Amino acid sequence: MFLLGENTSAGGSDTAPGTDLAALRARVATLNARYRHHGATAVLEGALNDPEAGRIAMVSSFGAESVALLHLVAMVDRKVPVLFIDTRLLFAETLAYQQEVAERLRLENVQVLRTDEATLQKRDPYGALRMGDTDACCALRKTLPLEQALAGYDGWITGRKRYQSGTRAALEFFELEDSTGRIKVNPSAHWGPEDVRAYMDENRLPRHPLVAQGYPSIGCAPCTSKVAPGEDPRAGRWRGQQKEECGIHFVNGRAVRQSA
């Protein structure tokens, strides 16, 4: 487990001095061209073995659909670092499910990330930041520990998919985060919900227990609600707010978050 705070030296969202963004964009374009007609497994294997991709970790929420990509990773290399952010506001079911899946898939390098208690006490002493500024809460509890943990990597694997929201409709297998210089890998970008279900069924993978209770997209407990039949699967995330991303991901090269 890693407790990460605002004074951790490794981390930050600024691109390192001297980073050649043009060269990185060219590298991403090369990767997308190379794997454009490949499936998720080939993209994942390429990300982990292609010199153009660099040193890669996986970031997983162990949410409703996470087990499919986690299984793919386990089939390719169980030693891949898997970063799991515990915001201290997650459902108890998510924490139990994370342990169950890690054991079932025999993942060998799961790293639990948390913002350290001192930083939380300084910036959210009453645990009420989410009530007034959900962007700041996400920045404190999610973005901060993740950025610091990713400091030693050239890129990271995500489970994002085109169908999940409008901001992801044009998602490519490989993206460049201009603000960090890291490459983001989305092996299952082209999968639809039926593909995820079929993969989970074929491999007899365990479901997150909250899915059956009406939670098709699962985040922190205070900011996640049940979704009614016919609603968008992510309608229960930050319901009633103009917010689609937690701040971990970037849209058009810019972080979707505010500083806390």
Side-chain angles (χ1 to χ4, degrees), residues 18-38:
T19 299
D20 187 342
L21 289 177
L24 288 171
R25 291 190 190 100
R27 182 185 303 176
V28 167
T30 297
L31 287 166
N32 278 318
R34 184 176 299 162
Y35 296 99
R36 186 172 305 281
H37 301 296
H38 289 69

Side-chain angles (χ1 to χ4, degrees), residues 121-145:
Q121 283 298 315
K122 178 180 178 180
R123 298 166 66 175
D124 189 13
Y126 305 107
L129 183 60
R130 59 182 172 79
M131 300 175 69
D133 190 340
T134 53
D135 284 331
C137 185
C138 287
L140 173 64
R141 295 175 179 271
K142 295 182 180 180
T143 310
L144 173 64

Side-chain angles (χ1 to χ4, degrees), residues 147-171:
E147 286 183 342
Q148 293 172 343
L150 284 174
Y153 296 96
D154 300 304
W156 51 299
I157 301 162
T158 91
R160 298 160 76 222
K161 304 169 190 65
R162 289 184 171 186
Y163 81 87
Q164 290 173 325
S165 71
T167 60
R168 302 179 181 181
L171 199 63

Side-chain angles (χ1 to χ4, degrees), residues 36 43 58 62 124 126 159 167 178 182 198 236:
R36 186 172 305 281
V43 171
M58 179 181 183
F62 285 79
D124 189 13
Y126 305 107
T167 60
D178 287 351
R182 282 190 291 268

